Amino acid sequence: MSLGLSVVRRPRTRLLLLALLVLVVAVLGVLAGRALTPAAVADVLAGGGDATDRHVLFQLRLPRVLVALGAGASLGVAGLVLQSALRNPLAGPEVTGVTPGAVLGAVTATGLGLASWESPAAVVVAATLGGFTGAALLWLMAGRDRSAAGDPAGIAVHGVLVSAVLGGLTAMMLLVAPGELGSVVQWLVGTTEGRVWDHWHLLWPWALVWAVAAWLLTGPLTLLRCGDEQAGAAGLAAGPARVLALVVAVALTAGAVAAVGALGFVGLLVPHVAVALFGADLRVTLPGAALAGAVVVGGADALAQVCGRVLAVALHSDRLALPVGAVTTCVGAVLLLVVVRRAPDRSH
């Protein structure tokens, strides 16, 4: 009995530790930055500080931290849903056409004057349409071929091809609207600079709705991880369940892209961390992926601000800012190499 209780409590303990780590990362994000020192932040929180300090803390830093945490949680859940639905450990939003499609949608809407970085609602719609376009292209290329659809390596190859095509279309949009280059680069790299309460008020209900939908799919997704035959034997229609899962993953990714742009490797690697910590039961692993994604993006944002301050001092530039997407891409690439090199069968 004691052994059984310890097994039950262990995932809960790890979830609690991750939640505490999210809180720590949030505090670090509030303390980071160039406009306010940690002492000034403490003074404002204690009820002091001038109007400028209070504005920086409550109108700039707090929404930035919340948006980073929400986007990271969305990408973590989206990646886990994709990898479970496709039974593919390489099926992150970045390599299945979902993130490149969402970026293309946001960039296209910006280039045509239909949306802007400051109008998050229009960007969410455009990013969602683009994400579904990327997923549809992958479905057309790999879904019709049963042998490719059932092969994780085949799906990954098709996803890379779709991502390359969508990336090329995005580059073409830069030629159509060169005046929007500054806004476009933010979506290409991924940044939390300039995130305000409008972005947070749009992101959190969108993410919450689709996260609940993902939670309702934890049972079918757990069966899909075991294979279509086992899912069919348990009475699950694998095809419709997979389509619903893809819809949820695209929506979560589109919301994150609309809020912060493309963050490399978050949706690809965070699910591996969650599965390693919590196992294959998605009822526990899904919240774990959300918390882990929040920790990764929130921590990367705080690190980006600290590194940006150091670089600004070294290069004597007050305007230099390191985007969080650059940090997640560099760290994620290193971690991906470590994972691949440690894999027992590198061919997969």
Side-chain angles (χ1 to χ4, degrees):
M1 178 65 70
S2 61
L3 179 61
L5 289 176
S6 65
V7 173
V8 172
R9 290 173 180 170
R10 187 177 303 168
R12 295 179 181 178
T13 302
R14 292 178 178 177
L15 283 175
L16 178 59
L17 291 176
L18 267 181
L20 292 176
L21 191 55
V22 170
L23 180 60
V24 171
V25 165
V27 172
L28 292 176
V30 170
L31 295 177
R34 286 175 287 184
L36 290 180
T37 64
V41 172
D43 186 28
V44 172
L45 293 178
D50 56 24
T52 301
D53 291 345
R54 290 193 295 271
H55 176 79
V56 170
L57 178 60
F58 294 117
Q59 302 301 322
L60 299 178
R61 285 200 183 178
L62 281 181
R64 173 175 180 160
V65 169
L66 292 175
V67 168
L69 297 178
S74 298
L75 291 174
V77 173
L80 182 60
V81 170
L82 277 175
Q83 292 179 9
S84 300
L86 299 177
R87 297 189 66 220
N88 183 357
L90 300 178
E94 305 89 344
V95 295
T96 55
V98 178
T99 294
V103 171
L104 175 61
V107 169
T108 301
T110 301
L112 298 179
L114 303 177
S116 68
W117 189 253
E118 290 77 18
S119 57
V123 175
V124 167
V125 175
T128 302
L129 294 176
F132 279 116
T133 300
L137 288 175
L138 177 63
W139 189 269
L140 290 175
M141 292 185 65
R144 290 186 175 183
D145 184 356
R146 293 184 179 272
S147 61
D151 178 22
I155 294 179
V157 170
H158 284 94
V160 170
L161 293 176
V162 171
S163 299
V165 171
L166 296 174
L169 293 176
T170 301
M172 291 177 60
M173 286 304 304
L174 298 179
L175 301 177
V176 174
E180 298 292 339
L181 180 60
S183 298
V184 168
V185 168
Q186 297 184 81
W187 276 299
L188 295 178
V189 179
T191 180
T192 54
E193 287 285 340
R195 299 296 77 100
V196 294
W197 287 113
D198 288 342
H199 297 88
W200 169 245
H201 292 324
L202 186 71
L203 174 62
W204 79 260
W206 179 271
L208 180 61
V209 167
W210 292 106
V212 170
W215 170 259
L216 296 176
L217 288 173
T218 52
L221 286 172
T222 302
L223 291 176
L224 288 176
R225 291 180 68 92
C226 300
D228 289 4
E229 293 183 0
Q230 289 82 351
L236 176 68
R242 184 172 288 111
V243 171
L244 288 175
L246 292 177
V247 169
V248 170
V250 170
L252 285 168
T253 303
V257 169
V260 299
L263 298 180
F265 294 102
V266 176
L268 178 62
L269 292 178
V270 166
H272 292 273
V273 176
V275 172
L277 290 175
F278 302 103
D281 186 355
L282 297 192
R283 293 173 299 177
V284 179
T285 308
L286 194 77
L291 292 174
V295 169
V296 168
V297 177
D301 186 37
L303 179 61
Q305 293 186 69
V306 173
C307 293
R309 292 175 62 180
V310 174
L311 290 175
V313 172
L315 300 177
H316 305 287
S317 174
D318 294 334
R319 295 187 175 183
L320 181 63
L322 184 65
V324 61
V327 176
T328 61
T329 299
C330 293
V331 176
V334 174
L335 292 178
L336 182 61
L337 288 175
V338 173
V339 170
V340 171
R341 290 180 64 87
R342 295 184 62 180
D345 184 2
R346 297 183 186 178
S347 63
H348 291 78

